[in-house]
Amino acid sequence: MTDAIKIDVWSDIACPWCYIGKRNLESGLAAASTDDDAPVVEVVFHSYELAPDTPVDFDGGETDYLAHHKGIPAEQAREMLDRVTGVAADAGLEYRFDKLKHTNTVKAHQLLHFAKAEGKQPELTERLMSAYFTEGRHLGRDDELVALAADAGLDPEAARDALVSERYLDDVRADQAQAQAYGINGVPFFVIDGKYGVSGAQPAEAFAQIARQVWEERRQVGAAEPEESVA
């Protein structure tokens, strides 16, 4: 049997395009899964902090953040948010920038590595992104993160211990170092099977196409390999 295609995704839970990219990836893979010879895919998320200097408690909304910390004129910032809200809606997501609480995401990334160790990374990634962009939850606070971990099926006390001990911080830094080695300077960024790099929230059709392409390459390589003789 052909090994699963591995898709490594560098993203930040506070990146609006990352959630859109995640949803488009899922939609594309779902479309490819109906093929007669459907690709088998494993998706792994990796840490990337878009704004590591962001305070845990930011005073102001998303427009204020873009205007005061990124130097984007307020009117242009509002237009940007309206545009991304429309793109998110096309992907089936209801962004609520009016409720969003901008915060530092390093603790959320540590919790995602804990979830990976517990076999719950996909569930927690979805829960955190949904909480941040659609529910206005504060993802910089331990109590909020622990509650969301429980929603994703993780043990809340173990999740709290992971946060307090910071034992997954080195894993976060390792992901960031790998991103730097790859030359990644923006997210979402997808590394397909360790050899193809895809930048940005591509349409679902693009993800379906590349999954099919890589799966076909795998199948052709497998067919070309000589069979082992049986004594």
Side-chain angles (χ1 to χ4, degrees):
M1 182 177 177
T2 305
D3 292 337
I5 298 167
K6 187 178 180 184
I7 300 181
D8 293 288
V9 186
W10 270 263
S11 68
D12 192 349
I13 60 95
C15 164
W17 293 105
C18 290
Y19 198 10
I20 294 168
K22 174 180 178 296
R23 187 61 86 243
N24 286 349
L25 172 65
E26 292 165 346
S27 297
L29 295 180
S33 72
T34 63
D35 296 354
D36 290 337
D37 183 21
V40 179
V41 180
E42 175 192 8
V43 179
V44 178
F45 288 90
H46 299 274
S47 302
Y48 190 100
E49 290 180 89
L50 277 176
D53 58 342
T54 304
V56 171
D57 295 300
F58 175 76
D59 185 16
E62 190 70 0
T63 300
D64 298 315
Y65 177 80
L66 292 173
H68 298 156
H69 287 257
K70 298 297 183 181
I72 299 172
E75 183 59 32
Q76 183 181 343
R78 283 189 287 271
E79 292 174 357
M80 289 171 58
L81 295 178
D82 287 345
R83 175 173 173 263
V84 75
T85 298
V87 177
D90 290 340
L93 302 170
E94 185 182 357
Y95 278 9
R96 292 294 306 272
F97 285 112
D98 58 318
K99 299 170 64 176
L100 186 147
K101 294 179 175 60
H102 203 81
T103 188
N104 189 287
T105 61
V106 69
K107 286 192 173 187
H109 284 297
Q110 291 176 65
L111 194 63
L112 284 168
H113 278 280
F114 164 70
K116 179 182 177 183
E118 297 294 315
K120 292 285 187 179
Q121 192 194 49
E123 293 85 350
L124 186 63
T125 301
E126 176 64 28
R127 188 67 194 98
L128 293 184
M129 287 184 164
S130 175
Y132 187 78
F133 284 107
T134 73
E135 302 168 35
R137 303 283 287 271
H138 195 313
L139 269 62
R141 297 174 179 168
D142 285 9
D143 288 348
E144 196 83 288
L145 288 170
V146 168
L148 294 168
D151 289 349
L154 291 158
D155 179 80
E157 291 309 312
R160 187 179 298 278
D161 179 68
L163 290 172
V164 173
S165 68
E166 295 192 323
R167 67 177 180 271
Y168 291 98
L169 183 58
D170 286 347
D171 295 295
V172 174
R173 300 305 181 217
D175 276 355
Q176 293 168 333
Q178 183 62 66
Q180 187 174 22
Y182 278 148
I184 298 171
N185 53 25
V187 287
F189 195 93
F190 306 82
V191 177
I192 317 294
D193 230 24
K195 57 183 179 179
Y196 298 114
V198 177
S199 179
Q202 301 296 322
E205 296 79 8
F207 288 118
Q209 180 180 358
I210 194 168
R212 289 170 173 142
Q213 173 189 329
V214 174
W215 191 247
E216 177 63 17
E217 290 173 1
R218 289 280 201 86
R219 192 180 67 79
Q220 290 178 356
V221 169
E225 292 176 351
E227 295 184 1
E228 295 182 2
S229 61
V230 180

